[in-house]
Amino acid sequence: MTTYDLAVIDGDGIGPEVNQQALSAMKAAAARFGFGLETTDYALGAQNYLDTGRLIDDEIIGRLQAHDAILFGAMGDPGVAPGILERGVILRIRRAFRQKVNLRPVRLYPGVHTPIRDLDPERCDFVVVRENTEGLYVGGGSTVHEGTQNAVALQESVNTARAIADVVDYSFRLAQQRRRKLTLCHKKNILVHAGELWQNIVDEHSSRYPEVEVDYVHADAMCQHMPMAPERFDVIVTDNLFGDIISDLGATIQGGLGVAASANLNLDGRAPSMFEPVHGSAPDIAGRGWANPAAAVLSAALCLASFGQGMAALALETATASVLGELSALAGPGMGASTEEIGDRIVDRIVTGSVEEHGRREGSIMTAMAAI
């Protein structure tokens, strides 16, 4: 029996609550589909930083390196200035483990509330593949004459052909397993140098994947097309900043951050990938049982898919969608149950339910990830 070794970083606020439900769902799937899970907890986050003054050091990075994947809860606390934990822990992990792809599925499940009027769930099922280590997020820049009327701030965007090519190739392979359409999202009419590099690399890869249809949409236009015509898109590949923006718009379209999952993928298998819900730590509701664990469970499903456990991943997704649909029908956009109660219902569906047809349909992100 294959056993997977997970590092678990609960983090802050609601992170421990949603991670607990995600792990329960994974363990239920492991029992049903015949694989094992081992976990190791790491006390990283705001409280550790406030207690010790440390974020994450080389020794912890070395220990995390030995795991198959990282399950991440949430991070952030009002007592720590914005940016410290994000750069000192999350971005450090992404770069240390060469997690070149941030993957954000955008799928509207039946019965789940969306602010987009009359949006049929069948119209909304696409994936944003975001370059995860470069662009404006590299952090390069400088400020001169700070604090004066002559202040000048420079922020550098770094784009390398190697990183872009790796992300574009992954996107084509994913599209090939789904509905065979890839859209490049950029702003190449203004960001001419970076845009041209991205376009040239997409064009080069297009010749290797002739069965995949390719198009292009400007980033600003994408913000209109995604809510109005989501069926237009299958796999969207984009740079770090644009991906950050449009994937959060995607979360709104699919019903909010409480159902938005993500994966930070190492593509060469030499380091662990990291899976996390998109939402923050929400310290104002921590410990109240108000946190929706769906995004954490769906992130755990992406983790299982990355292991090649496609049916187990589908079981988590199907169970979560089923429970969310019922709760939305009963309580409108609200949860209608506690964090633990939702988690228990999901586990029950994993154990007793079938992998329903809507989870098996062609192009499921779970089966597509498991196949590449």
Side-chain angles (χ1 to χ4, degrees):
M1 181 175 70
T2 301
T3 297
Y4 302 105
D5 184 1
L6 295 180
V8 179
I9 303 174
D10 286 336
D12 309 309
I14 62 172
E17 299 170 59
V18 298
N19 247 10
Q20 179 180 348
Q21 305 311 318
L23 282 170
S24 294
M26 295 181 82
K27 290 174 183 177
R32 177 175 174 181
F33 293 95
F35 57 89
L37 288 174
E38 294 181 353
T39 63
T40 303
D41 294 324
Y42 290 83
L44 299 173
Q47 194 59 53
N48 177 68
Y49 175 70
L50 292 170
D51 289 344
T52 68
R54 294 192 297 270
L55 292 165
I56 186 170
D57 55 27
D58 291 342
E59 188 268 335
I60 295 295
I61 290 291
R63 289 171 57 193
L64 290 171
Q65 171 79 49
H67 295 281
D68 295 318
I70 302 168
L71 198 67
F72 186 94
M75 195 162 286
D77 184 271
V80 180
I84 292 177
L85 296 169
E86 292 84 351
R87 288 191 175 276
V89 178
I90 299 172
L91 293 185
R92 173 81 189 279
I93 289 173
R94 290 178 181 177
R95 290 170 183 162
F97 299 139
R98 304 174 303 284
Q99 294 170 349
K100 295 183 178 182
V101 163
N102 178 270
L103 184 144
R104 292 274 294 269
V106 180
R107 181 174 177 185
L108 179 57
Y109 296 105
V112 175
H113 173 78
T114 174
I116 308 302
R117 182 184 298 177
D118 301 326
L119 180 58
D120 182 348
E122 292 295 320
R123 294 176 55 205
C124 181
D125 185 359
F126 60 90
V127 184
V128 177
V129 179
R130 164 189 169 191
E131 195 287 314
N132 205 30
T133 60
E134 294 189 342
L136 281 165
Y137 286 61
V138 169
S142 62
T143 302
V144 296
H145 308 304
E146 186 173 3
T148 75
Q149 292 183 345
N150 297 317
V152 177
L154 300 178
Q155 197 74 50
E156 299 168 354
S157 178
V158 176
N159 300 265
T160 67
R162 175 64 181 271
I164 296 171
D166 288 343
V167 172
V168 166
D169 184 70
Y170 180 84
S171 300
F172 270 101
R173 289 187 286 132
L174 194 64
Q176 197 169 36
Q177 296 294 327
R178 284 174 52 88
R179 299 193 307 277
R180 299 186 177 183
K181 182 169 185 179
L182 181 141
T183 301
L184 170 61
C185 173
H186 209 277
K187 190 67 178 170
K188 64 182 183 179
N189 58 334
I190 303 297
L191 305 177
V192 291
H193 299 292
E196 182 180 18
L197 181 58
W198 274 87
Q199 186 66 69
N200 288 344
I201 291 172
V202 168
D203 291 344
E204 291 170 6
H205 281 73
S206 180
S207 64
R208 305 177 200 171
Y209 299 91
E211 64 276 24
V212 176
E213 178 187 353
V214 177
D215 71 348
Y216 172 87
V217 175
H218 286 319
D220 50 346
M222 181 66 75
C223 293
Q224 178 180 14
H225 294 314
M226 279 172 50
M228 298 298 291
E231 67 275 9
R232 173 177 174 176
F233 304 109
D234 177 18
V235 174
I236 300 170
V237 62
T238 188
D239 89 333
N240 210 337
L241 178 60
F242 295 140
D244 196 358
I245 294 168
I246 67 171
S247 57
D248 275 3
L249 173 59
T252 299
I253 293 169
Q254 72 181 122
L257 295 177
V259 293
S262 77
N264 299 284
L265 300 176
N266 171 278
L267 300 180
D268 61 18
R270 297 178 182 176
S273 298
M274 181 167 66
F275 302 85
E276 58 178 313
V278 173
H279 59 68
S281 60
D284 56 323
I285 65 168
R288 298 187 179 187
W290 294 358
N292 187 344
V297 177
L298 292 171
S299 299
L302 294 175
C303 179
L304 294 179
S306 76
F307 292 153
Q309 295 286 347
M311 293 305 294
L314 282 179
L316 264 67
E317 182 187 32
T318 299
T320 304
S322 174
V323 170
L324 284 177
E326 293 174 358
L327 290 172
S328 296
L330 291 172
M335 283 177 47
S338 71
T339 307
E340 185 174 357
E341 288 169 343
I342 293 175
D344 288 345
R345 294 189 195 189
I346 291 172
V347 166
D348 182 67
R349 300 293 167 83
I350 293 169
V351 172
T352 63
S354 62
V355 180
E356 296 169 353
E357 191 60 33
H358 83 267
R360 289 177 177 269
R361 70 184 183 185
E362 182 181 5
S364 163
I365 183 58
M366 304 304 170
T367 54
M369 281 185 67
I372 62 176

